[in-house]
Amino acid sequence: MKAVKFAENLSIFVDVARAQSFSEVARRRGMVASSVARQIGALESELQVPLFVRSTRALVPTEAGEVLYERAVKILHDMTEARSEVISLEQTVQGLLRVSCLPAFARRYVVPILQQLGERHPQLRVELELTERVVDPVVERMDVVVRVGQQPDSSLIGQRIGSHRYLICAAPSYLERHGVPRTLADLSRHRLIDRRHSTSVRGWRELGDGQWAQDARFVLECDDCDARRQAALEGLGIALMPNWSAGPDIGAGRLVQLALQDASPPPDSGIYLLRAMPRANARIRAFTEQLRRQVGSPSVWDVAIDSACPPAAAPAARGA
Protein backbone atom coordinates (compact mmCIF):
# COMPACT_ATOMS: atom_id res chain seq x y z
CA MET A 1 0.00 0.00 0.00
CA LYS A 2 2.90 2.37 0.74
CA ALA A 3 4.18 1.99 -2.83
CA VAL A 4 0.70 2.64 -4.20
CA LYS A 5 0.41 5.81 -2.10
CA PHE A 6 3.85 6.95 -3.25
CA ALA A 7 2.83 6.52 -6.90
CA GLU A 8 -0.36 8.49 -6.26
CA ASN A 9 1.57 11.30 -4.56
CA LEU A 10 4.12 11.27 -7.38
CA SER A 11 1.35 11.74 -9.94
CA ILE A 12 -0.04 14.72 -8.03
CA PHE A 13 3.47 16.14 -7.70
CA VAL A 14 3.93 16.11 -11.49
CA ASP A 15 0.60 17.85 -11.98
CA VAL A 16 1.51 20.52 -9.39
CA ALA A 17 4.96 21.05 -10.93
CA ARG A 18 3.34 21.67 -14.30
CA ALA A 19 0.50 23.89 -13.05
CA GLN A 20 2.51 25.50 -10.23
CA SER A 21 -0.75 25.72 -8.31
CA PHE A 22 -2.44 23.56 -5.67
CA SER A 23 -5.87 24.97 -6.45
CA GLU A 24 -5.60 24.35 -10.21
CA VAL A 25 -4.64 20.69 -9.68
CA ALA A 26 -7.40 20.33 -7.07
CA ARG A 27 -9.95 21.66 -9.56
CA ARG A 28 -8.86 19.24 -12.30
CA ARG A 29 -8.90 16.25 -9.97
CA GLY A 30 -12.10 17.13 -8.14
CA MET A 31 -10.27 17.60 -4.83
CA VAL A 32 -9.83 20.45 -2.37
CA ALA A 33 -6.59 22.42 -2.45
CA SER A 34 -5.73 21.46 1.14
CA SER A 35 -5.80 17.76 0.20
CA VAL A 36 -3.39 18.35 -2.67
CA ALA A 37 -1.11 20.31 -0.35
CA ARG A 38 -1.20 17.48 2.23
CA GLN A 39 -0.16 14.90 -0.35
CA ILE A 40 2.74 17.05 -1.52
CA GLY A 41 3.70 17.50 2.13
CA ALA A 42 3.56 13.73 2.66
CA LEU A 43 5.84 13.20 -0.34
CA GLU A 44 8.32 15.78 1.00
CA SER A 45 8.27 14.10 4.41
CA GLU A 46 8.93 10.69 2.89
CA LEU A 47 11.81 12.01 0.78
CA GLN A 48 12.99 14.34 3.58
CA VAL A 49 13.57 17.20 1.16
CA PRO A 50 11.49 20.26 0.12
CA LEU A 51 10.14 19.99 -3.44
CA PHE A 52 8.65 23.48 -3.87
CA VAL A 53 9.41 26.99 -2.76
CA ARG A 54 6.01 28.32 -1.72
CA SER A 55 4.94 31.95 -2.09
CA THR A 56 1.61 33.76 -2.26
CA ARG A 57 1.92 33.98 -6.03
CA ALA A 58 3.31 30.62 -7.20
CA LEU A 59 4.94 27.33 -6.43
CA VAL A 60 8.46 27.01 -7.80
CA PRO A 61 10.19 23.60 -7.82
CA THR A 62 13.40 23.40 -5.82
CA GLU A 63 16.50 21.80 -7.34
CA ALA A 64 15.42 18.49 -5.79
CA GLY A 65 11.94 19.08 -7.18
CA GLU A 66 13.29 19.58 -10.70
CA VAL A 67 15.33 16.36 -10.48
CA LEU A 68 12.30 14.46 -9.18
CA TYR A 69 10.07 15.93 -11.88
CA GLU A 70 12.32 14.69 -14.69
CA ARG A 71 12.45 11.20 -13.18
CA ALA A 72 8.77 11.14 -12.20
CA VAL A 73 7.54 11.95 -15.69
CA LYS A 74 9.43 8.93 -17.08
CA ILE A 75 8.37 6.66 -14.20
CA LEU A 76 4.69 7.50 -14.62
CA HIS A 77 4.96 7.08 -18.40
CA ASP A 78 6.55 3.64 -17.95
CA MET A 79 3.86 2.65 -15.45
CA THR A 80 1.15 3.65 -17.90
CA GLU A 81 2.85 1.72 -20.71
CA ALA A 82 3.26 -1.36 -18.50
CA ARG A 83 -0.39 -1.24 -17.51
CA SER A 84 -1.46 -0.92 -21.15
CA GLU A 85 0.73 -3.87 -22.19
CA VAL A 86 -0.64 -6.11 -19.45
CA ILE A 87 -4.23 -5.18 -20.27
CA SER A 88 -3.48 -5.75 -23.94
CA LEU A 89 -2.33 -9.30 -23.17
CA GLU A 90 -5.72 -9.95 -21.60
CA GLN A 91 -7.79 -8.28 -24.28
CA THR A 92 -5.84 -8.68 -27.53
CA VAL A 93 -5.00 -11.99 -29.21
CA GLN A 94 -1.34 -11.54 -30.02
CA GLY A 95 2.07 -12.95 -29.18
CA LEU A 96 3.17 -16.56 -28.66
CA LEU A 97 0.80 -19.36 -27.59
CA ARG A 98 2.56 -22.54 -26.46
CA VAL A 99 0.49 -25.74 -26.76
CA SER A 100 1.34 -29.35 -25.94
CA CYS A 101 -0.80 -32.17 -27.31
CA LEU A 102 -0.92 -35.87 -28.20
CA PRO A 103 0.40 -36.21 -31.77
CA ALA A 104 -2.63 -38.06 -33.19
CA PHE A 105 -5.19 -35.73 -31.61
CA ALA A 106 -3.21 -32.68 -32.70
CA ARG A 107 -3.01 -33.82 -36.32
CA ARG A 108 -6.73 -34.56 -36.47
CA TYR A 109 -8.21 -31.66 -34.51
CA VAL A 110 -5.63 -29.02 -33.54
CA VAL A 111 -3.65 -28.49 -36.75
CA PRO A 112 -6.86 -27.99 -38.83
CA ILE A 113 -7.88 -24.97 -36.70
CA LEU A 114 -4.57 -23.12 -37.03
CA GLN A 115 -5.33 -21.58 -40.41
CA GLN A 116 -8.65 -20.08 -39.25
CA LEU A 117 -7.09 -19.02 -35.96
CA GLY A 118 -4.33 -17.24 -37.87
CA GLU A 119 -6.81 -15.49 -40.16
CA ARG A 120 -8.82 -14.19 -37.22
CA HIS A 121 -5.77 -13.22 -35.20
CA PRO A 122 -2.84 -12.38 -37.51
CA GLN A 123 -0.64 -11.25 -34.58
CA LEU A 124 -0.87 -14.68 -32.92
CA ARG A 125 1.98 -17.19 -33.17
CA VAL A 126 1.59 -20.84 -32.10
CA GLU A 127 4.28 -23.19 -30.85
CA LEU A 128 2.89 -26.75 -30.94
CA GLU A 129 4.67 -29.59 -29.14
CA LEU A 130 3.53 -33.08 -30.14
CA THR A 131 4.27 -35.64 -27.42
CA GLU A 132 2.69 -38.55 -25.58
CA ARG A 133 4.45 -37.82 -22.31
CA VAL A 134 2.71 -36.01 -19.47
CA VAL A 135 3.68 -32.34 -19.75
CA ASP A 136 3.60 -30.04 -16.73
CA PRO A 137 2.48 -26.61 -18.00
CA VAL A 138 4.00 -24.88 -14.97
CA VAL A 139 7.48 -26.38 -15.27
CA GLU A 140 7.59 -26.26 -19.08
CA ARG A 141 5.82 -22.88 -19.40
CA MET A 142 3.03 -24.17 -21.64
CA ASP A 143 -0.08 -22.04 -22.05
CA VAL A 144 -2.30 -25.02 -22.81
CA VAL A 145 -1.84 -28.78 -22.47
CA VAL A 146 -4.28 -31.15 -24.19
CA ARG A 147 -4.54 -34.40 -22.23
CA VAL A 148 -6.57 -37.51 -22.96
CA GLY A 149 -8.03 -39.90 -20.39
CA GLN A 150 -8.80 -39.76 -16.71
CA GLN A 151 -6.87 -36.95 -15.01
CA PRO A 152 -5.47 -37.23 -11.48
CA ASP A 153 -6.28 -34.54 -8.96
CA SER A 154 -4.07 -31.53 -9.55
CA SER A 155 -3.87 -27.80 -9.14
CA LEU A 156 -4.25 -27.26 -12.89
CA ILE A 157 -7.34 -25.59 -14.32
CA GLY A 158 -9.11 -28.14 -16.50
CA GLN A 159 -11.86 -27.91 -19.11
CA ARG A 160 -13.37 -31.02 -20.66
CA ILE A 161 -13.94 -30.64 -24.40
CA GLY A 162 -14.98 -34.15 -25.44
CA SER A 163 -15.35 -37.84 -24.64
CA HIS A 164 -12.64 -40.48 -24.76
CA ARG A 165 -13.08 -44.24 -24.86
CA TYR A 166 -11.62 -47.17 -26.76
CA LEU A 167 -13.50 -49.03 -29.51
CA ILE A 168 -12.87 -52.33 -31.24
CA CYS A 169 -12.97 -51.77 -34.98
CA ALA A 170 -11.90 -53.19 -38.32
CA ALA A 171 -12.26 -52.42 -42.00
CA PRO A 172 -15.18 -54.05 -43.87
CA SER A 173 -12.66 -55.72 -46.18
CA TYR A 174 -11.00 -57.45 -43.22
CA LEU A 175 -14.30 -58.68 -41.80
CA GLU A 176 -15.34 -60.03 -45.21
CA ARG A 177 -12.17 -62.12 -45.37
CA HIS A 178 -11.90 -63.24 -41.74
CA GLY A 179 -15.35 -62.97 -40.21
CA VAL A 180 -16.63 -61.01 -37.22
CA PRO A 181 -15.51 -62.04 -33.71
CA ARG A 182 -18.23 -62.22 -31.06
CA THR A 183 -16.20 -63.15 -27.93
CA LEU A 184 -12.77 -62.44 -26.49
CA ALA A 185 -11.76 -66.02 -27.26
CA ASP A 186 -12.56 -65.42 -30.92
CA LEU A 187 -10.01 -62.60 -30.96
CA SER A 188 -7.18 -65.06 -30.39
CA ARG A 189 -7.91 -66.43 -33.87
CA HIS A 190 -7.79 -62.99 -35.50
CA ARG A 191 -5.09 -60.62 -36.62
CA LEU A 192 -4.74 -57.83 -34.05
CA ILE A 193 -3.21 -54.38 -34.19
CA ASP A 194 -1.88 -53.22 -30.82
CA ARG A 195 0.14 -50.54 -29.13
CA ARG A 196 3.84 -51.30 -29.12
CA HIS A 197 4.12 -51.26 -25.33
CA SER A 198 2.26 -54.35 -24.10
CA THR A 199 2.09 -53.03 -20.53
CA SER A 200 -0.03 -50.05 -21.60
CA VAL A 201 -3.44 -49.81 -19.94
CA ARG A 202 -4.79 -48.89 -23.35
CA GLY A 203 -3.81 -52.17 -25.06
CA TRP A 204 -5.69 -55.34 -25.97
CA ARG A 205 -4.37 -57.20 -22.95
CA GLU A 206 -6.50 -55.04 -20.68
CA LEU A 207 -9.73 -56.48 -22.08
CA GLY A 208 -11.27 -59.09 -19.79
CA ASP A 209 -8.80 -60.99 -17.62
CA GLY A 210 -6.14 -60.87 -20.33
CA GLN A 211 -5.82 -64.67 -20.49
CA TRP A 212 -7.32 -64.82 -23.96
CA ALA A 213 -4.44 -62.67 -25.25
CA GLN A 214 -1.75 -65.26 -24.42
CA ASP A 215 -2.29 -66.95 -27.79
CA ALA A 216 -3.29 -63.79 -29.69
CA ARG A 217 -1.58 -62.91 -32.94
CA PHE A 218 -0.42 -59.29 -33.02
CA VAL A 219 0.39 -58.60 -36.64
CA LEU A 220 1.34 -55.00 -35.85
CA GLU A 221 2.50 -53.34 -32.66
CA CYS A 222 3.03 -49.62 -33.06
CA ASP A 223 3.28 -46.64 -30.72
CA ASP A 224 1.67 -44.21 -33.19
CA CYS A 225 -2.12 -43.97 -33.14
CA ASP A 226 -2.37 -42.64 -36.69
CA ALA A 227 -0.31 -45.54 -38.02
CA ARG A 228 -2.53 -48.09 -36.26
CA ARG A 229 -5.64 -46.39 -37.64
CA GLN A 230 -4.21 -46.43 -41.17
CA ALA A 231 -3.29 -50.09 -40.84
CA ALA A 232 -6.85 -50.90 -39.75
CA LEU A 233 -8.24 -48.93 -42.70
CA GLU A 234 -6.04 -50.98 -45.05
CA GLY A 235 -7.56 -54.19 -43.66
CA LEU A 236 -4.47 -55.42 -41.86
CA GLY A 237 -6.35 -56.47 -38.73
CA ILE A 238 -8.65 -55.52 -35.85
CA ALA A 239 -7.63 -52.50 -33.83
CA LEU A 240 -8.47 -51.05 -30.43
CA MET A 241 -8.77 -47.35 -31.19
CA PRO A 242 -9.81 -44.15 -29.39
CA ASN A 243 -13.30 -42.97 -30.35
CA TRP A 244 -11.92 -39.56 -31.41
CA SER A 245 -9.53 -41.27 -33.84
CA ALA A 246 -11.80 -43.96 -35.32
CA GLY A 247 -15.17 -42.19 -34.96
CA PRO A 248 -15.18 -40.28 -38.28
CA ASP A 249 -14.12 -43.46 -40.13
CA ILE A 250 -16.87 -45.47 -38.42
CA GLY A 251 -19.42 -42.82 -39.37
CA ALA A 252 -18.24 -42.92 -43.00
CA GLY A 253 -18.29 -46.73 -43.13
CA ARG A 254 -14.54 -47.04 -43.60
CA LEU A 255 -14.32 -48.88 -40.27
CA VAL A 256 -16.87 -51.05 -38.48
CA GLN A 257 -17.28 -50.96 -34.71
CA LEU A 258 -17.38 -54.44 -33.17
CA ALA A 259 -19.20 -55.62 -30.04
CA LEU A 260 -18.07 -58.65 -28.00
CA GLN A 261 -20.51 -60.58 -25.84
CA ASP A 262 -18.13 -61.03 -22.90
CA ALA A 263 -16.29 -57.71 -22.98
CA SER A 264 -17.55 -54.86 -20.83
CA PRO A 265 -18.11 -51.54 -22.58
CA PRO A 266 -14.93 -49.48 -22.39
CA PRO A 267 -14.94 -46.78 -19.69
CA ASP A 268 -15.64 -43.25 -20.85
CA SER A 269 -13.22 -40.60 -19.64
CA GLY A 270 -12.51 -37.33 -21.38
CA ILE A 271 -10.28 -34.98 -23.31
CA TYR A 272 -9.15 -31.94 -21.34
CA LEU A 273 -7.55 -28.57 -21.91
CA LEU A 274 -5.33 -27.82 -18.93
CA ARG A 275 -3.62 -24.60 -17.96
CA ALA A 276 -1.72 -23.33 -14.95
CA MET A 277 -3.14 -19.81 -14.84
CA PRO A 278 -6.40 -19.38 -12.91
CA ARG A 279 -7.58 -16.89 -15.52
CA ALA A 280 -7.23 -17.56 -19.23
CA ASN A 281 -5.71 -14.74 -21.26
CA ALA A 282 -6.95 -13.71 -24.70
CA ARG A 283 -4.65 -16.13 -26.53
CA ILE A 284 -5.86 -19.12 -24.52
CA ARG A 285 -9.51 -18.08 -24.86
CA ALA A 286 -9.20 -17.74 -28.64
CA PHE A 287 -7.52 -21.15 -29.00
CA THR A 288 -10.04 -22.83 -26.70
CA GLU A 289 -13.04 -21.37 -28.50
CA GLN A 290 -11.70 -22.38 -31.93
CA LEU A 291 -10.90 -25.93 -30.78
CA ARG A 292 -14.31 -26.33 -29.14
CA ARG A 293 -15.95 -25.31 -32.41
CA GLN A 294 -13.81 -27.89 -34.23
CA VAL A 295 -14.65 -30.66 -31.76
CA GLY A 296 -18.34 -29.73 -31.44
CA SER A 297 -20.85 -30.45 -28.69
CA PRO A 298 -21.60 -33.30 -28.78
CA SER A 299 -18.25 -34.12 -30.31
CA VAL A 300 -18.02 -34.77 -34.04
CA TRP A 301 -16.72 -38.29 -33.42
CA ASP A 302 -19.65 -39.23 -31.16
CA VAL A 303 -22.10 -37.84 -33.72
CA ALA A 304 -20.38 -39.88 -36.44
CA ILE A 305 -20.45 -43.08 -34.37
CA ASP A 306 -24.12 -42.60 -33.47
CA SER A 307 -24.98 -42.13 -37.14
CA ALA A 308 -23.37 -45.45 -38.11
CA CYS A 309 -24.91 -48.91 -37.90
CA PRO A 310 -24.95 -50.56 -34.45
CA PRO A 311 -21.72 -52.37 -33.49
CA ALA A 312 -21.33 -55.49 -35.60
CA ALA A 313 -21.71 -58.98 -34.17
CA ALA A 314 -21.96 -62.29 -35.99
CA PRO A 315 -23.38 -65.75 -35.20
CA ALA A 316 -19.88 -67.15 -35.33
CA ALA A 317 -16.33 -66.25 -36.20
CA ARG A 318 -14.66 -68.01 -39.08
CA GLY A 319 -11.18 -67.53 -37.69
CA ALA A 320 -8.16 -65.91 -39.15
Side-chain angles (χ1 to χ4, degrees), residues 17 29 113 251-252 254 277 297 306:
R29 288 177 170 257
I113 73 171
R254 294 184 293 268
M277 295 190 299
S297 181
D306 290 343

Side-chain angles (χ1 to χ4, degrees), residues 12 18 21 52 78 96 106 131 158-159 167 185 217 237 241 252 305:
I12 288 180
R18 286 171 174 165
S21 168
F52 294 100
D78 289 345
L96 179 63
T131 179
Q159 183 177 5
L167 309 175
R217 180 155 47 125
M241 299 293 298
I305 292 169

